[in-house]
């Protein structure tokens, strides 16, 4: 049985949450295994989380890191961490004017994607449009539906619009660019909850995604336990370093004593 066929039974329970803007056959997976809430909370509590994750991913040789220069936050003080919901967009074809004249369906897919979220889980919507920054695949209304569905953040490999509203809104947004021109009749949904490429990083539905002012980290679902264990060790090691630095700043230890206390301590 094809993966899209396997998604059908799970969609029965989710159907009241689906907008109906795209055919259900575009949904690759309706659900995926869930990470423990305590583990997600530990990660969400970390300052500059992507830096912590980047070190752990680097040591393991897994996952991917996207710098903020390639996918930046609209509100740099915001941060998110959760499992990915994915939407891959493709060119619509034809001209917008012709589709407006025929009242063609928009086939955007974002509202249906948000309906696949588990309320309260902090799922992160990952929307890809081949990095196109000429037209916006998400804006204020899209983010409003995301907030209502319980989505924790939106990452767009493409452009967004309604920037002032998005910055003030409840759902943090990261994007490649900003433009006033909508993607309606220029991009349409190709697949929901499949595999996408986010600024060069492979993301599958259910993967762990974190984003902050430094950039974005993607942790493959199967690698989360090992990466999480490394993160816990890193936090403990950095806490020791921070304590020693605080004493040095207060003048209670000399620089030489600081070096002695921190020299040779393994990070991972």
């Amino acid at each position: 049985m094809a993966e899209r066929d396997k998604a059908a039974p799970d969609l029965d329970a989710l159907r009241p949450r689906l907008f109906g803007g795209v055919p259900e056959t575009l949904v690759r997976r309706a659900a995926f295994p869930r990470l423990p809430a305590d583990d997600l909370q530990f990660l969400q509590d970390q300052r500059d989380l992507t830096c912590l994750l980047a070190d752990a991913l680097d040591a393991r040789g897994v996952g991917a890191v996207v710098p903020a220069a390639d996918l930046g936050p609209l509100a740099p003080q915001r941060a998110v961490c959760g499992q990915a919901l994915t939407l891959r967009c493709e060119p619509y074809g034809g001209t917008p004017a012709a589709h407006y004249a025929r009242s063609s369906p928009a086939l955007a897919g974002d509202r249906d994607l948000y309906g696949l979220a588990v309320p309260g889980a902090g799922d992160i919507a990952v929307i890809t449009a081949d990095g196109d920054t000429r037209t916006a695949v998400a804006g204020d209304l899209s983010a409003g539906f995301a907030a209502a569905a319980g989505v924790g953040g939106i990452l767009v490999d493409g452009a967004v619009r309604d920037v002032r509203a998005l910055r003030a809104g409840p759902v943090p947004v990261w994007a490649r660019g900003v433009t006033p021109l909508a993607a309606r009749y220029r991009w349409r949904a190709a697949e929901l909850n499949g595999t996408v490429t986010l600024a060069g990083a492979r993301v599958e539905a259910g993967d762990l995604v974190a984003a902050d002012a430094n950039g974005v980290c993607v942790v493959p679902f199967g690698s989360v336990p090992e990466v999480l264990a490394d993160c816990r060790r890193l936090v403990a090691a950095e806490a020791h370093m921070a304590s020693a630095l605080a004493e040095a700043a207060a003048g209670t230890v000399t620089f030489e004593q600081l070096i002695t206390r921190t020299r040779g301590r393994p990070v991972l």
Side-chain angles (χ1 to χ4, degrees), residues 9-267:
D10 293 326
L11 276 175
D12 290 339
L14 289 171
R15 197 161 282 112
R17 290 175 54 84
L18 298 181
F19 185 73
V22 297
E24 291 182 0
T25 53
L26 296 185
V27 179
R28 175 69 66 176
R29 301 169 66 186
F32 41 75
R34 288 286 163 177
L35 298 172
D38 290 347
D39 289 346
L40 287 175
Q41 189 61 58
F42 166 78
L43 293 171
Q44 291 164 359
D45 288 342
Q46 306 308 312
R47 185 176 62 179
D48 291 316
L49 172 58
T50 58
C51 297
L52 175 67
L53 283 172
D55 287 348
L57 292 172
D58 205 22
R60 292 276 173 183
V62 299
V65 177
V66 179
D70 292 342
L71 201 76
L74 267 61
Q77 74 278 13
R78 312 284 291 276
V80 296
C81 178
Q83 289 184 259
L85 305 168
T86 65
L87 169 59
R88 178 172 59 85
C89 300
E90 64 183 7
Y92 200 108
T95 67
H99 289 300
Y100 273 111
R102 293 195 296 266
S103 297
S104 301
L107 302 176
D110 54 337
R111 299 175 190 180
D112 290 284
L113 180 72
Y114 305 148
L116 299 175
V118 172
D123 292 340
I124 309 301
V126 178
I127 302 174
T128 65
D130 291 344
D132 177 34
T133 56
R134 296 168 298 176
T135 59
V137 293
D140 183 34
L141 293 179
S142 179
F145 277 91
V151 171
I154 302 173
L155 311 183
V156 179
D157 191 358
V160 297
R161 67 179 194 168
D162 307 319
V163 174
R164 291 181 63 184
L166 290 179
R167 284 177 176 154
V171 179
V173 177
W174 281 253
R176 273 198 189 249
V178 173
T179 178
L181 187 62
R184 183 181 179 91
Y185 296 142
R186 293 179 175 87
W187 290 91
R188 65 182 181 185
E191 185 178 63
L192 284 70
N193 269 1
T195 301
V196 300
T197 301
L198 179 72
R202 177 187 172 94
V203 185
E204 294 189 17
D207 284 351
L208 178 67
V209 178
D212 57 21
N214 301 289
V216 177
C217 286
V218 181
V219 185
F221 180 84
S223 299
V224 170
E226 294 81 8
V227 170
L228 181 63
D230 288 345
C231 285
R232 292 186 186 278
R233 285 193 289 272
L234 274 169
V235 168
E238 290 185 2
H240 174 83
M241 295 276 190
S243 175
L245 286 168
E247 291 185 50
T252 57
V253 299
T254 66
F255 181 74
E256 290 77 11
Q257 290 172 321
L258 171 67
I259 294 301
T260 298
R261 288 180 55 180
T262 57
R263 181 188 292 125
R265 290 185 63 87
V267 178

